[in-house]
Amino acid sequence: MTTILPILLLATLFSQSVAFTFTFTSTSPVSVGTFTTRSRSTIRATRIFSSTDDGDDDDDDDDDGSMDDEEDHPLADVDDERKSNLFSMMLRDLQIEGVPLLGCDADQVHTLQAALWTTMSELSEQDDAQKACLIMENIPTAALQTFVDDFLVLKTQSDQMEYLPELERVSASIVGKGLGPAVLLEVTPKTATAADDDATTIVDEFKCSAAMKSFMNRVVIGNDDADDESAPASIGLGDEGSAAPIDYRFSSSANICATIASFWNCVCEMQSDASIGTLCLQLPSISNNRFATVSQLLSRSLCLYQGDSVFSLVHFSPTYDRNQIEPVDRPAFGHLPPMSWLTPMLVANGDDDSLLDDDDAALAKSNYQRKSPICAVNIVRNSLLADPTIVAIELQADGRSAQASGLEVYCPNAIRLAATDEAVWKGALAAELAILE
């Protein structure tokens, strides 16, 4: 039997940065107002991520709300009034079943993602089977379908799901196959294994923040004073790592739904407050063996609706190893360039590559740019970053050419890291890890 989730849990989660609100639809009769289908093509639906920094609208072309290949859509021959009636009937059936109907005022894809992942987080925190239906009248149904389709694809990817077992309990579907803008979220009862997988470690937020700020000051912001012995391992990622002062946020949960929800609430906060240039979301309960998969999911979630045109990500972990991040030999959003690209990048930048050439140990030192005391992600506003300079490089492994950017940051860092005794970088990281004890 499905347990109905308490209303206040959904309404108050992440209340410190409310980007959307939930309301419960009246129980009798079911009413969602006069519903008019607003389906758009998938391409247009995935471009509704807006930037608070730029009022320009690249979508000034005619928007009649039509659907591409509409004649192939299963509801193409159903008129709007019939769709509205069918949609209301389906909502009524869900309500009779005891499924909470949550009206959500999200009107952009960042608030859409925050609402969906927040609800999935709350549902999955419960031990019993749960259901909830989110009705989003301000979001095109095609945009909701994009989310659901990607979630279904994710669940078929065994290499990802191996490290995201708690998502096995969660499913998402469009109510009525697109009759209206509503998503049905369901979770199955929690098993003992699932309970262990998403168990949250007790962490000290103040210690984590102190350790992370020390790391950020040393590695991301850097210290240009070579005589300052308090910062012997200063690197300085510059614009690649941050823009403007860094704000810090904290999520103690190990549950992947809660992690993604926290991420999207941070994005919503940045969208509503243009003064935040960089926000560091600390994720101390994400284990090192799950870091690669979680970082990929964060990047995937942001890029789903072209959010990477507004924000960049920089991923950090205590055991960061670029050779453990897929794809190993191609760029991965939010990560260092592939290790096999560093020497060609130095050549293209006109630098001396002798320190790195055919030396795996020297190459591996570049990982210290991302080795932090806890897992974390920097969300960086693109509008505050310099336009990337894209350079063609010749890959040594197979003679192919590729395009790379960030040479002005990664090349000098790679040289400096390779030229310094690794004990310096290990010692600095060990000192920051000691803060957590």
Side-chain angles (χ1 to χ4, degrees):
M1 180 176 179
T2 301
T3 302
I4 299 177
L5 195 67
I7 296 175
L8 290 179
L9 284 179
L10 286 169
T12 59
L13 187 67
F14 301 115
S15 59
Q16 70 273 19
S17 178
V18 176
F20 52 88
T21 56
F22 289 110
T23 58
F24 273 69
T25 304
S26 58
T27 56
S28 179
V30 174
S31 174
V32 292
T34 302
F35 176 74
T36 303
T37 50
R38 292 168 303 211
S39 300
R40 303 180 184 178
S41 69
T42 301
I43 294 177
R44 292 195 57 80
T46 58
R47 290 180 60 83
I48 62 175
F49 196 110
S50 63
S51 169
T52 57
D53 307 311
D54 189 350
D56 295 337
D57 186 358
D58 294 333
D59 290 331
D60 291 333
D61 53 318
D62 182 32
D63 181 11
D64 58 4
S66 62
M67 179 180 290
D68 291 346
D69 301 323
E70 188 169 351
E71 65 275 10
D72 297 330
H73 194 274
L75 302 176
D77 295 331
V78 181
D79 61 56
D80 289 347
E81 182 178 0
R82 177 62 174 161
K83 290 177 184 177
S84 177
N85 291 335
L86 288 172
F87 183 53
S88 294
M89 291 173 60
M90 299 197 77
L91 294 181
R92 184 181 296 112
D93 289 343
L94 289 172
Q95 202 166 50
I96 292 172
E97 185 184 340
V99 177
L101 303 183
L102 306 174
C104 182
D105 62 357
D107 60 359
Q108 295 287 331
V109 290
H110 55 281
T111 50
L112 155 69
Q113 293 252 38
L116 288 171
W117 284 106
T118 295
T119 306
M120 286 192 287
S121 172
E122 280 297 322
L123 295 176
S124 63
E125 288 291 339
Q126 309 302 310
D127 292 338
D128 300 328
Q130 299 283 344
K131 290 185 180 181
C133 177
L134 270 67
I135 304 169
M136 300 182 174
E137 294 194 80
N138 298 321
I139 297 291
T141 304
L144 298 178
Q145 189 68 60
T146 297
F147 178 91
V148 169
D149 288 347
D150 186 69
F151 189 76
L152 292 175
V153 170
L154 171 65
K155 293 193 66 175
T156 66
Q157 297 172 327
S158 58
D159 59 328
Q160 301 287 302
M161 292 300 294
E162 178 183 358
Y163 298 99
L164 305 171
E166 62 266 51
L167 288 186
E168 295 286 1
R169 300 179 58 213
V170 184
S171 62
S173 60
I174 299 293
V175 173
K177 297 182 178 180
L179 278 172
V183 178
L184 179 63
L185 301 174
E186 304 178 65
V187 298
T188 58
K190 183 179 290 186
T191 63
T193 301
D196 292 338
D197 289 328
D198 63 6
T200 297
T201 305
I202 298 177
V203 292
D204 188 319
E205 180 176 352
F206 296 103
K207 288 183 178 180
C208 288
S209 295
M212 202 63 200
K213 288 178 181 179
S214 173
F215 168 80
M216 287 293 177
N217 289 334
R218 174 176 64 87
V219 172
V220 177
I221 299 173
N223 187 319
D224 295 329
D225 187 356
D227 296 326
D228 185 355
E229 296 182 357
S230 66
S234 173
I235 300 173
L237 293 181
D239 284 350
E240 287 292 327
S242 69
I246 301 175
D247 284 63
Y248 292 85
R249 301 294 181 269
F250 189 84
S251 175
S252 61
S253 179
N255 182 288
I256 188 59
C257 294
T259 297
I260 307 298
S262 295
F263 169 80
W264 277 106
N265 275 271
C266 288
V267 171
C268 289
E269 182 180 0
M270 295 184 73
Q271 284 288 81
S272 62
D273 186 352
S275 68
I276 302 176
T278 299
L279 191 150
C280 175
L281 175 59
Q282 303 168 81
L283 304 168
S285 294
I286 298 300
S287 60
N288 292 327
N289 68 319
R290 295 220 302 172
F291 163 73
T293 301
V294 171
S295 66
Q296 289 173 334
L297 184 53
L298 288 172
S299 296
R300 174 183 184 150
S301 182
L302 181 67
C303 295
L304 181 62
Y305 296 101
Q306 300 183 352
D308 52 321
S309 66
V310 182
F311 298 105
S312 294
L313 302 182
V314 183
H315 297 292
F316 302 100
S317 164
T319 58
Y320 189 95
D321 183 352
R322 181 59 180 86
N323 287 329
Q324 299 300 316
I325 306 296
E326 295 292 343
V328 173
D329 58 353
R330 296 195 306 277
F333 185 70
H335 288 281
L336 291 174
M339 289 293 149
S340 61
W341 285 31
L342 287 181
T343 298
M345 287 171 67
L346 289 176
V347 173
N349 202 45
D351 295 318
D352 180 8
D353 64 342
S354 60
L355 284 171
L356 300 181
D357 196 20
D358 299 324
D359 189 341
D360 291 341
L363 288 170
K365 290 182 184 180
S366 282
N367 288 315
Y368 281 97
Q369 297 172 74
R370 302 296 182 88
K371 288 192 175 185
S372 59
I374 59 174
C375 290
V377 57
N378 268 11
I379 309 171
V380 186
R381 194 181 298 278
N382 286 347
S383 62
L384 300 181
L385 305 180
D387 292 336
T389 300
I390 299 176
V391 177
I393 62 174
E394 297 295 329
L395 302 181
Q396 297 174 332
D398 52 16
R400 291 184 300 113
S401 62
Q403 292 185 326
S405 62
L407 275 67
E408 66 279 3
V409 172
Y410 294 121
C411 288
N413 284 349
I415 292 173
R416 180 178 181 186
L417 285 156
T420 305
D421 188 339
E422 187 175 4
V424 173
W425 313 117
K426 282 186 175 180
L429 179 60
E432 289 154 356
L433 288 169
I435 298 175
L436 303 176
E437 299 175 355

